[in-house]
Amino acid sequence: MKYKSLMFLPIFASCLVSCGNNRHDISEYILKTPYKDNYRILQLTDVHLGDKDKLEEHFKFMDITIKEANPDLIVVTGDLFTFASKSTAKSLFDFLDSYEVNWTVCFGNHDEQCYFSIDWMTDVLNNYGEKCLFKDIQDDDIFGNCNFAINLMQGDSVFEQIIVMDSNRYQFGLESMGYDCFKVDQIDWYSRLVDTTKENNGGDTVESLMFYHIPLPEVDDAWENGKDDPSKIKNPTGSVAQKNEKSCPPKKDNHFFDTIKTKGSTKGMYFGHDHINNFIVEYEGIDFGYGIKSTNRVYYQEDMMGGRVIVIKNDHTLEYEDYYHTYKEIA
Ligand SMILES: [Fe+2]
């Protein structure tokens, strides 16, 4: 859905905008790509490129991880830019498109702090090219600018589903001032997506992974519940689960996690936002994963930059591979 400077409107205005009637069929939100054996998704996050950056330096840095990770799909989980112009944005998209790999992005809260609008970026990505698996329906009744799914196809059936959602940017309600949350209409959309996919799959629930930017409010419970339990920590060998800063989920909670649990499809959720937290912890049957920051822009931890591969195994289990690099490697 188009998203016009809501940052400066009262909260009731965003509610009015999201209550439109332009409902689209769920099939219109779905892209398809073949499943490959032990499918490798590289999560990059919080790139934060701006016009003052030496872009080539950051591309060189990310290139190390991308080549090492050998992904089938790259997903950048938001905060792509801060104070970037259109040419900087296009440079990042061209960089991602320079590999023989499908790629996609979701948006973060900082992506509206640029010399272009989120709608401009959405338009560019909607029309980018065949390796860019991005789709947003801009005149629909769903809040946000990147709510779509990628079906990993095995013949005519869906092997797994990748769900990309917009966790939105900021909100200004008196009791919810801060980062925005998933709206009720987005949660309904998620339910319709999971139900329709199940219906079209002979009644069997299709397993899914979700990618978005701002963690759900349950992220702290997930950490507290799992941090001392080796059976809950999923960081791969050699990667230490760390919580080095306060998590910053939205204050307002529309209870998306309850719906996710009830629907029984999503088994892993991957996000960014809090740059120096790095853990994957299983909570109530679902993996919560902070991504690994992928450049040294804004704030970062020297030994915690690179990217993470999420492997969907042929038996539907998940494996994780963490890749860490430093800028010294490109000096
Ligand atoms: Fe960020």
Side-chain angles (χ1 to χ4, degrees):
M1 185 189 84
K2 283 209 181 210
Y3 178 91
K4 288 182 179 170
S5 302
L6 291 176
M7 186 176 174
F8 303 107
L9 294 176
I11 194 69
F12 67 83
S14 64
C15 186
L16 286 177
V17 172
S18 66
C19 295
N21 284 324
N22 201 3
R23 173 145 295 202
H24 285 248
D25 194 89
I26 214 74
S27 62
E28 294 178 55
Y29 294 92
I30 296 176
L31 301 165
K32 292 178 184 177
T33 190
Y35 172 76
K36 293 177 187 169
D37 275 350
N38 301 318
Y39 200 84
R40 299 173 65 78
I41 302 169
L42 172 62
Q43 181 195 9
L44 303 175
T45 197
D46 292 84
V47 176
H48 281 279
L49 294 182
D51 282 7
K52 289 188 176 165
D53 289 319
K54 290 180 182 156
L55 297 180
E56 285 310 317
E57 194 175 286
H58 298 297
F59 295 156
K60 224 165 148 183
F61 180 72
M62 287 189 278
D63 177 69
I64 305 172
T65 298
I66 293 171
K67 287 203 174 121
E68 194 179 13
N70 188 27
D72 298 307
L73 173 70
I74 299 170
V75 183
V76 191
T77 47
D79 280 3
L80 313 171
F81 307 110
T82 309
F83 301 121
S85 62
K86 290 178 181 178
S87 72
T88 295
K90 282 181 176 165
S91 295
L92 176 63
F93 301 150
D94 288 347
F95 166 73
L96 293 169
D97 205 58
S98 67
Y99 299 89
E100 289 306 313
V101 177
N102 290 330
W103 60 277
T104 193
V105 306
C106 63
F107 302 133
N109 48 294
H110 284 286
D111 287 313
E112 70 175 10
Q113 293 156 355
C114 290
Y115 306 114
F116 50 78
S117 65
I118 295 272
D119 283 333
W120 173 82
M121 192 158 45
T122 304
D123 270 337
V124 170
L125 291 165
N126 268 343
N127 298 293
Y128 198 85
E130 60 181 29
K131 282 182 284 175
C132 176
L133 300 182
F134 180 95
K135 181 159 191 185
D136 180 70
I137 300 176
Q138 290 182 281
D139 69 348
D140 68 358
D141 60 344
I142 311 301
F143 201 91
N145 281 68
C146 51
N147 303 298
F148 60 95
I150 302 167
N151 284 353
L152 302 181
M153 303 299 296
Q154 204 166 45
D156 290 334
S157 61
V158 188
F159 184 77
E160 294 240 355
Q161 189 169 57
I162 310 294
I163 302 173
V164 179
M165 290 187 72
D166 197 346
S167 54
N168 303 308
R169 277 147 281 288
Y170 301 94
Q171 62 176 281
F172 298 92
L174 287 180
E175 289 177 8
S176 56
M177 180 77 79
Y179 296 110
D180 210 348
C181 60
F182 288 105
K183 309 295 181 183
V184 171
D185 60 60
Q186 289 181 284
I187 298 170
D188 291 345
W189 174 86
Y190 170 89
S191 293
R192 277 202 291 143
L193 173 69
V194 172
D195 289 347
T196 306
T197 306
K198 178 180 176 179
E199 213 175 287
N200 294 339
N201 194 50
D204 295 327
T205 299
V206 172
E207 295 182 33
S208 63
L209 305 181
M210 277 180 72
F211 293 86
Y212 51 84
H213 181 70
I214 301 172
L216 292 180
E218 287 79 3
V219 70
D220 284 328
D221 290 343
W223 173 249
E224 289 304 321
N225 184 67
K227 66 181 180 185
D228 298 320
D229 181 347
S231 73
K232 303 277 186 198
I233 297 288
K234 301 294 177 76
N235 290 58
T237 308
S239 168
V240 180
Q242 300 175 55
K243 186 169 186 290
N244 297 314
E245 64 175 314
K246 187 175 169 289
S247 297
C248 294
K251 283 187 193 144
K252 186 171 168 58
D253 184 2
N254 284 325
H255 306 290
F256 192 8
F257 191 54
D258 292 344
T259 300
I260 291 167
K261 282 188 296 181
T262 304
K263 289 292 164 190
S265 163
T266 299
K267 57 189 172 184
M269 305 191 291
Y270 310 97
F271 40 84
H273 192 50
D274 301 315
H275 298 181
I276 56 174
N277 287 340
N278 173 16
F279 60 78
I280 317 163
V281 58
E282 185 246 299
Y283 181 56
E284 302 198 11
I286 296 168
D287 288 357
F288 277 66
Y290 267 113
I292 299 168
K293 183 160 166 48
S294 306
T295 66
N296 67 358
R297 285 282 290 116
V298 192
Y299 72 99
Y300 59 97
Q301 192 168 298
E302 193 68 44
D303 60 351
M304 226 171 65
M305 289 183 289
R308 168 169 299 131
V309 172
I310 300 138
V311 186
I312 305 174
K313 306 280 285 181
N314 292 349
D315 62 0
H316 293 277
T317 56
L318 299 174
E319 273 183 12
Y320 299 105
E321 299 171 8
D322 287 359
Y323 294 91
Y324 297 104
H325 292 285
T326 69
Y327 276 71
K328 285 180 193 149
E329 293 171 58
I330 58 161

